[in-house]
Coordinates of all heavy atoms in Angstrom, one line a residue:
Chain A
R323 N 134.0 55.8 68.9 CA 135.3 56.6 69.0 C 136.5 55.8 68.6 O 137.4 56.3 67.9 CB 135.5 57.0 70.5 CG 136.7 57.8 70.8 CD 136.8 59.1 70.0 NE 138.0 59.8 70.3 CZ 139.2 59.5 69.7 NH1 139.2 58.5 68.9 NH2 140.3 60.2 70.0
S331 N 149.0 51.7 60.8 CA 149.5 51.3 62.1 C 148.4 51.3 63.1 O 148.2 50.4 63.9 CB 150.7 52.2 62.6 OG 151.6 52.3 61.7
D332 N 147.6 52.4 63.1 CA 146.5 52.5 64.0 C 145.5 51.3 63.7 O 144.9 50.7 64.7 CB 145.7 53.8 63.8 CG 146.6 55.0 64.2 OD1 147.7 54.8 64.8 OD2 146.2 56.1 63.9
R395 N 139.6 66.5 64.8 CA 140.5 67.3 64.1 C 141.4 68.1 65.0 O 141.1 68.3 66.2 CB 139.7 68.3 63.2 CG 138.8 67.6 62.2 CD 137.9 68.5 61.4 NE 138.7 69.2 60.4 CZ 138.1 70.1 59.5 NH1 136.8 70.3 59.6 NH2 138.9 70.7 58.6
R396 N 142.4 68.7 64.4 CA 143.4 69.4 65.2 C 143.0 70.9 65.2 O 142.3 71.4 64.4 CB 144.8 69.3 64.5 CG 146.0 69.3 65.4 CD 147.2 69.0 64.7 NE 147.2 69.6 63.3 CZ 147.4 68.8 62.2 NH1 147.6 67.6 62.3 NH2 147.4 69.4 61.0
G397 N 143.5 71.6 66.2 CA 143.3 73.0 66.3 C 141.9 73.5 66.3 O 141.5 74.3 65.4
R399 N 139.3 72.5 65.3 CA 138.5 72.3 64.1 C 137.4 71.2 64.2 O 136.6 71.0 63.4 CB 139.4 72.0 62.9 CG 140.2 73.1 62.4 CD 140.8 72.8 61.0 NE 141.9 73.8 60.7 CZ 143.1 73.6 61.1 NH1 143.5 72.5 61.7 NH2 144.0 74.5 60.7
K448 N 139.1 68.5 51.6 CA 138.8 68.2 50.2 C 137.4 67.6 50.1 O 137.1 66.7 50.9 CB 139.9 67.2 49.7 CG 140.1 67.3 48.2 CD 141.5 66.8 47.9 CE 141.7 65.3 48.2 NZ 143.0 64.8 47.8
R449 N 136.7 68.0 49.1 CA 135.3 67.6 49.0 C 135.2 66.1 48.6 O 135.9 65.6 47.7 CB 134.6 68.3 47.9 CG 134.4 69.8 48.1 CD 133.9 70.5 46.8 NE 133.7 71.9 46.9 CZ 134.6 72.8 46.7 NH1 135.9 72.4 46.3 NH2 134.4 74.1 46.8
S495 N 148.3 65.8 40.4 CA 149.0 64.5 40.5 C 148.0 63.4 40.3 O 148.2 62.4 39.6 CB 149.7 64.3 41.8 OG 148.9 64.5 42.9
N625 N 152.6 61.0 54.1 CA 153.3 61.3 55.4 C 152.8 60.5 56.6 O 153.4 60.4 57.6 CB 153.2 62.8 55.7 CG 154.4 63.5 55.0 OD1 155.4 62.9 54.6 ND2 154.2 64.8 54.8
E724 N 156.7 51.6 64.2 CA 156.9 51.5 65.6 C 157.2 50.1 66.1 O 157.7 49.8 67.1 CB 155.6 52.0 66.3 CG 154.4 51.1 66.0 CD 153.1 51.7 66.5 OE1 152.7 52.8 66.0 OE2 152.5 51.1 67.4
Chain B
Q27 N 134.5 77.2 45.2 CA 135.7 77.7 45.8 C 136.7 76.6 45.9 O 136.4 75.5 46.3 CB 135.3 78.2 47.1 CG 136.3 79.1 47.8 CD 135.7 79.5 49.2 OE1 134.5 79.8 49.4 NE2 136.6 79.4 50.2
E31 N 143.6 71.9 51.6 CA 143.4 71.2 52.8 C 144.1 71.9 54.0 O 145.3 72.2 53.8 CB 144.0 69.8 52.6 CG 143.2 68.9 51.7 CD 142.4 67.8 52.4 OE1 142.4 67.7 53.6 OE2 141.8 67.0 51.7
E33 N 144.5 70.7 57.2 CA 145.2 70.0 58.3 C 146.3 69.1 57.9 O 147.0 68.5 58.7 CB 144.1 69.1 59.0 CG 143.3 69.8 60.0 CD 142.1 69.1 60.3 OE1 141.2 69.0 59.5 OE2 142.1 68.5 61.4
T36 N 152.3 68.5 55.2 CA 153.0 68.1 53.9 C 154.5 67.9 54.2 O 155.1 67.1 53.5 CB 152.9 69.2 52.8 OG1 153.4 70.4 53.3 CG2 151.5 69.4 52.4
T55 N 160.7 64.8 55.5 CA 159.7 64.1 54.6 C 158.8 65.2 54.0 O 158.3 66.0 54.8 CB 159.0 63.0 55.3 OG1 158.0 62.5 54.3 CG2 158.2 63.4 56.5
D59 N 151.5 66.6 47.6 CA 150.1 66.4 47.2 C 149.2 65.8 48.3 O 148.2 65.2 48.0 CB 150.0 65.7 45.9 CG 150.4 64.3 46.0 OD1 151.0 63.9 47.0 OD2 150.1 63.5 45.0
E100 N 150.3 74.9 65.9 CA 149.0 74.2 66.4 C 149.3 73.1 67.4 O 148.6 72.9 68.3 CB 148.3 73.6 65.1 CG 147.3 74.5 64.5 CD 146.7 73.9 63.3 OE1 146.6 72.6 63.2 OE2 146.2 74.6 62.4
R155 N 151.4 61.4 67.4 CA 150.0 60.9 67.8 C 149.2 62.1 68.3 O 149.6 62.9 69.1 CB 150.1 59.8 68.9 CG 150.6 58.5 68.4 CD 149.5 57.6 67.9 NE 150.0 56.5 67.2 CZ 150.3 55.3 67.8 NH1 150.1 55.2 69.1 NH2 150.7 54.3 67.1
E157 N 145.8 63.0 70.4 CA 145.0 62.5 71.5 C 145.5 61.2 72.0 O 144.7 60.2 72.2 CB 143.5 62.4 71.1 CG 142.9 63.8 70.8 CD 141.4 63.8 70.8 OE1 140.8 62.7 70.9 OE2 140.8 64.9 70.6
E176 N 145.4 58.7 67.5 CA 145.5 58.5 66.1 C 146.8 59.1 65.6 O 147.3 60.1 66.0 CB 144.4 59.2 65.3 CG 143.1 58.6 65.5 CD 142.2 59.2 66.5 OE1 142.3 60.4 66.7 OE2 141.5 58.4 67.2
T177 N 147.3 58.5 64.5 CA 148.6 58.9 64.0 C 148.4 60.0 63.0 O 147.6 59.9 62.1 CB 149.3 57.7 63.2 OG1 149.4 56.6 64.2 CG2 150.6 58.1 62.7
E180 N 153.8 59.7 60.3 CA 154.6 58.6 60.7 C 155.6 58.3 59.5 O 155.2 58.0 58.4 CB 153.8 57.3 61.0 CG 154.7 56.1 61.4 CD 153.8 55.0 61.9 OE1 153.0 54.4 61.1 OE2 153.8 54.7 63.1

Side-chain angles (χ1 to χ4, degrees):
Chain A
R323 177 62 182 81
S331 308
D332 295 350
R395 302 176 72 178
R396 210 174 34 237
R399 289 192 195 91
K448 207 155 65 179
R449 297 171 180 90
S495 55
N625 271 341
E724 64 188 68
Chain B
Q27 195 183 316
E31 291 251 4
E33 277 162 288
T36 58
T55 175
D59 69 346
E100 268 181 26
R155 285 275 169 88
E157 297 195 357
E176 285 98 35
T177 305
E180 181 169 68

